[in-house]
């Protein structure tokens, strides 16, 4: 990732590169082609490095490396995703590992059967428990991760 706009701190570029931000996390995160310092609006001072599935910006704070979701239009403005870049990446790894190891698919039915629904509820609850141990501040109602886990509960995470 190279800076494409604004003056992006070398520390931020180094951390993003060193910790290995993935190009994609299911449909919930897509890396941007470069880094861009946000110079106005609700994300001012943050560094944009990706997008949510709703095309909101995923940004990092150069001061504390916290991760934020930034919407261009009020009332959302900006919302905490994780208190650290390391936490963001750890949450992704927890989800990838837990979901990829799960066999909750009933390929013969169009709709999820009761067993599949119970399976995905268990997966979501397991992930939520692991996340709460690492960064409970990221699991408030309406947050990036609580929305993701709601979709996991429905088997519609990716």
């Amino acid at each position: 990732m190279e800076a494409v706009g604004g003056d992006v701190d070398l520390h931020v570029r180094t951390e993003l590169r060193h910790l290995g931000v993935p190009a994609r996390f299911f449909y919930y995160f897509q890396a941007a082609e470069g880094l861009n310092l946000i110079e106005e609006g609700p994300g001012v001072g943050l560094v944009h490095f990706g997008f949510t599935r709703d095309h909101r910006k995923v940004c990092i704070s150069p001061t504390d490396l916290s991760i934020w979701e930034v919407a261009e239009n009020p009332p959302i403005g900006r919302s905490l995703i994780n208190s650290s870049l390391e936490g963001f990446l750890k949450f992704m790894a927890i989800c990838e590992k837990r979901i990829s190891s799960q066999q909750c698919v009933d390929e013969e039915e169009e709709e999820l059967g009761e067993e599949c629904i119970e399976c995905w509820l268990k997966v979501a609850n397991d992930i939520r428990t692991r996340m709460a141990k690492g960064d409970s501040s990221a699991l408030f109602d309406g947050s990036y991760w609580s929305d993701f886990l709601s979709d996991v509960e429905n088997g519609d995470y990716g």
Side-chain angles (χ1 to χ4, degrees):
M1 291 183 167
E2 293 302 318
V4 293
D7 181 27
V8 177
D9 186 285
L10 177 62
H11 172 67
V12 172
R13 284 186 279 165
T14 303
E15 283 299 308
L16 288 168
R17 191 175 299 121
H18 171 72
L19 291 175
V21 174
R24 184 174 161 196
F25 170 72
F26 298 108
Y27 290 110
Y28 269 78
F29 173 80
Q30 177 71 45
E33 290 184 19
L35 302 177
N36 192 9
L37 181 64
I38 300 176
E39 297 176 346
E40 59 184 40
V44 68
L46 299 176
V47 177
H48 170 225
F49 71 95
F51 296 94
T52 68
R53 86 173 178 178
D54 297 330
H55 304 289
R56 294 182 181 142
K57 293 178 180 175
V58 177
C59 302
I60 187 168
S61 167
T63 56
D64 64 3
L65 301 181
S66 57
I67 306 299
W68 296 83
E69 178 177 10
V70 177
E72 296 298 318
N73 302 319
I76 296 172
R78 69 194 219 179
S79 175
L80 181 70
I81 293 178
N82 282 98
S83 59
S84 70
L85 174 59
E86 192 172 354
F88 182 61
L89 297 174
K90 183 176 181 179
F91 276 24
M92 286 183 180
I94 289 169
C95 295
E96 290 273 358
K97 183 176 181 181
R98 183 63 178 96
I99 289 170
S100 66
S101 69
Q102 193 56 53
Q103 300 293 324
C104 293
V105 179
D106 188 353
E107 295 180 18
E108 294 181 17
E109 299 201 24
E110 287 183 31
E111 304 246 344
L112 290 178
E114 190 172 322
E115 285 183 25
C116 283
I117 292 171
E118 288 177 21
C119 176
W120 285 119
L121 281 170
K122 182 178 181 329
V123 169
N125 287 331
D126 288 350
I127 293 170
R128 186 177 288 109
T129 298
R130 291 177 190 182
M131 287 178 166
K133 291 177 184 176
D135 188 357
S136 60
S137 66
L139 295 172
F140 59 91
D141 286 343
S143 72
Y144 179 87
W145 291 113
S146 68
D147 288 352
F148 175 78
L149 291 172
S150 291
D151 285 346
V152 171
E153 289 173 356
N154 297 316
D156 183 30
Y157 55 86

